[in-house]
């Protein structure tokens, strides 16, 4: 390794000071994933606590718990956490403590699945009523939309109270705010539909409400699609306009990703392109905002992460599947030898099967078991769906609809 290479590598391990004053120890984040390790009643399990503890021990600077629901009526899956006034604060505080070990900042991703809420446990409602193959939902009423910013603000304040180091508002991957931003989901003709200014209105109001609820010194992040990767969906040009509109809104990080979990659509994590997906977009976004940028999606090698940060395109890199394969990867990348994870190859996986394989591997990590690295997406999907089916009754008994 040359001196220049070493200097570039060290860019990945320099601290990052956020606009609110919080300091992240390096430029490596564990991106939000739906780990599906809640107990079915909205509370964290011991395995979930151990999983986030392992990532903290492995050296991540920022770790984001995916799909933390403030309203159990619109959950993504029965393994989600619920952060609400009648939940067990002690369990959530324990997760925050263990996941925040080793100077790791543990954020809660504030989720609302909207139209893609899991029907066995939820009430799918989105910006507009839809009746599509695999996706049926009602439209949110004006009163329900008006209530969203205050609801997210309450959830953010609870996250701060139980000990999370920050929050991330989820506006990507086809979930609620992503639905409002996308013309495919949002067909409204009132003040929340039509123009981009209308489609982003509730997101802007939510960012403002969350910032007011947590105060100026608590980190508030946003996850945003660079593109929906669907014909007629949110475009990169619109995403850049959203970033520009949010500059000065009180955000501390914008996490750039893309794609959607719309039934039948390829998610960003399943893209078959090589290399990071959104670095070029982040480079264009840099001209629109002074807010620090995370780029998430497609990072498999240290050299890719180093290049993104050293070039100034990204302030942080978000790793997901790489940290499922090796939870100690940041510590490994600190060493001169480095070392990159070996990604499995799946032969003709079923829809959702690859995601299920990684999700079940998270369970093994949380239980301190040696994971089965056999790339059998069919078996993983069957196990994943069976576990969810068992938790549906538990969820519905806890959160009567």
């Amino acid at each position: 390794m040359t001196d220049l290479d070493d200097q570039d590598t060290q860019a990945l391990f320099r601290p990052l000071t956020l606009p609110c004053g919080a300091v992240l120890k390096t430029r490596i984040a564990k991106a939000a994933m739906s780990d599906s390790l809640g107990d079915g009643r909205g509370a964290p399990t011991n395995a979930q606590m151990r999983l986030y503890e392992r990532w903290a021990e492995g050296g991540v600077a920022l770790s984001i718990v995916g799909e933390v629901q403030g309203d159990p009526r619109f959950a993504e899956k029965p393994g989600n956490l619920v952060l609400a006034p009648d939940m067990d604060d002690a369990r959530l505080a324990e997760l925050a403590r263990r996941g925040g070990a080793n100077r790791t900042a543990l954020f809660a991703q504030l989720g609302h699945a909207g139209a893609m809420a899991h029907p066995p446990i939820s009430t799918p409602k989105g910006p507009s009523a839809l009746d599509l193959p695999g996706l049926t939902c009602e439209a949110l009423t004006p009163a329900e939309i008006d209530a969203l910013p205050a609801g997210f603000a309450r959830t953010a304040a609870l996250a701060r109270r139980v000990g999370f180091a920050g929050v991330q508002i989820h506006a990507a991957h086809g979930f609620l705010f992503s639905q409002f931003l996308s013309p495919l989901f949002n067909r409204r003709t009132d003040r929340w539909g039509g123009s981009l200014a209308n489609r982003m209105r509730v997101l802007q109001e939510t960012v403002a409400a969350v910032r007011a609820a947590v105060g100026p010194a608590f980190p508030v992040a946003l996850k945003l699609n660079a593109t929906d990767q669907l014909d007629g969906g949110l475009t990169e040009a619109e995403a850049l306009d959203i970033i520009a509109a949010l500059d000065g809104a009180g955000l501390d990080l914008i996490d750039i990703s893309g794609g959607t979990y719309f039934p039948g659509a390829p998610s960003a994590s399943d893209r078959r392109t090589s290399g990071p997906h959104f670095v070029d977009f982040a480079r264009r976004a840099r001209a629109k905002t002074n807010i620090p940028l995370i780029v998430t999606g497609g990072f498999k090698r240290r050299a890719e992460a180093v290049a993104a940060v050293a070039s100034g395109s990204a302030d942080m890199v978000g790793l997901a599947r790489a940290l499922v394969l090796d939870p100690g990867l940041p510590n490994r990348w600190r060493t001169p030898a480095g070392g990159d994870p070996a990604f499995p190859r799946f032969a003709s996986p079923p829809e959702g099967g690859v995601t299920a394989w990684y999700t079940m591997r998270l369970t093994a990590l949380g239980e301190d078991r040696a994971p089965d690295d056999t790339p059998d997406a069919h078996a993983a999907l069957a196990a994943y769906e069976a576990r969810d089916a068992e938790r549906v009754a538990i969820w519905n008994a806890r959160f009567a609809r």
Side-chain angles (χ1 to χ4, degrees), residues 243 253-254 256 282 285-286 289 291-295 313-316:
I243 289 170
L253 285 164
I254 296 178
I256 296 168
R286 172 61 65 221
T289 185
I291 300 168
L293 301 176
I294 307 177
V295 179
S313 298
D315 297 286
M316 298 191 79

Side-chain angles (χ1 to χ4, degrees), residues 230-249:
L230 292 171
D231 290 340
L234 183 76
T235 66
E236 289 194 1
E238 288 181 319
L240 289 171
D241 287 342
I242 294 166
I243 289 170
L246 290 170
D247 197 48

Side-chain angles (χ1 to χ4, degrees), residues 21-333:
V23 179
L24 303 177
K25 65 180 183 179
T26 73
R27 306 304 181 95
I28 301 175
K30 197 288 294 179
M33 291 180 276
S34 181
D35 56 64
S36 204
L37 278 173
D39 65 359
R41 299 176 179 85
T45 57
N46 291 335
Q48 190 173 34
M49 294 180 193
R50 175 58 184 145
L51 175 64
Y52 283 88
E53 186 176 54
R54 287 190 68 169
W55 278 322
E57 293 168 350
V60 296
L62 169 63
S63 188
I64 306 171
V65 183
E67 293 298 334
V68 178
Q69 306 295 327
D71 188 339
R73 297 176 302 165
F74 301 99
E76 176 251 356
K77 282 295 176 70
N80 291 167
L81 296 184
V82 177
L83 195 53
D86 62 343
M87 296 302 294
D88 184 350
D89 282 3
R91 296 287 294 174
L92 291 161
E94 181 72 0
L95 171 64
R97 184 187 67 80
R98 293 178 65 179
N102 195 25
R103 296 189 299 121
T104 300
L106 186 70
F107 284 19
Q109 184 188 65
L110 308 184
H112 186 307
M116 295 200 296
H118 193 47
I121 62 168
S122 294
T123 308
K125 285 188 178 183
S128 303
L130 298 173
D131 188 6
L132 303 170
L135 183 66
T136 301
C137 74
E138 301 175 15
L140 290 162
T141 67
E144 288 171 325
I145 298 173
D146 275 331
L148 287 169
F152 272 78
R154 284 192 297 271
T155 307
L158 284 170
R160 182 182 182 187
R161 190 185 79 193
V162 301
F164 284 97
V167 294
Q168 182 186 78
I169 299 167
H170 196 356
H173 298 168
F175 295 106
L176 181 69
F177 291 129
S178 178
Q179 293 161 24
F180 270 98
L181 296 173
S182 173
L184 285 179
F185 284 97
N186 186 348
R187 302 171 184 178
R188 300 183 75 97
T189 57
D190 56 14
R191 61 193 177 101
W192 295 289
S195 68
L196 181 61
N198 282 353
R199 285 182 276 132
M200 74 169 82
R201 185 187 307 279
V202 70
L203 175 60
Q204 289 177 297
E205 292 173 349
T206 299
V207 170
V210 167
R211 171 52 72 199
V214 300
F218 189 75
V220 177
L222 174 72
K223 188 156 195 172
L224 182 71
N225 270 5
T227 169
D228 289 344
Q229 298 173 349
L230 292 171
D231 290 340
L234 183 76
T235 66
E236 289 194 1
E238 288 181 319
L240 289 171
D241 287 342
I242 294 166
I243 289 170
L246 290 170
D247 197 48
L251 290 170
D252 293 291
L253 285 164
I254 296 178
D255 187 354
I256 296 168
S257 188
T260 175
Y261 290 104
F262 184 92
S267 67
S269 54
D270 288 335
R271 290 178 67 176
R272 299 193 181 279
T273 56
S274 60
H277 305 325
F278 305 111
V279 173
D280 288 343
F281 176 87
R283 190 176 298 115
R284 296 195 296 277
R286 172 61 65 221
K288 302 287 186 178
T289 185
N290 291 316
I291 300 168
L293 301 176
I294 307 177
V295 179
T296 296
F299 287 98
K300 296 183 177 181
R301 300 185 301 119
R302 180 173 66 174
E304 297 165 343
V306 169
V309 173
S311 69
S313 298
D315 297 286
M316 298 191 79
V317 293
L319 307 179
R321 290 179 174 179
L323 288 172
V324 181
L325 298 171
D326 184 357
L329 192 61
N331 287 341
R332 188 183 316 282
W333 279 356

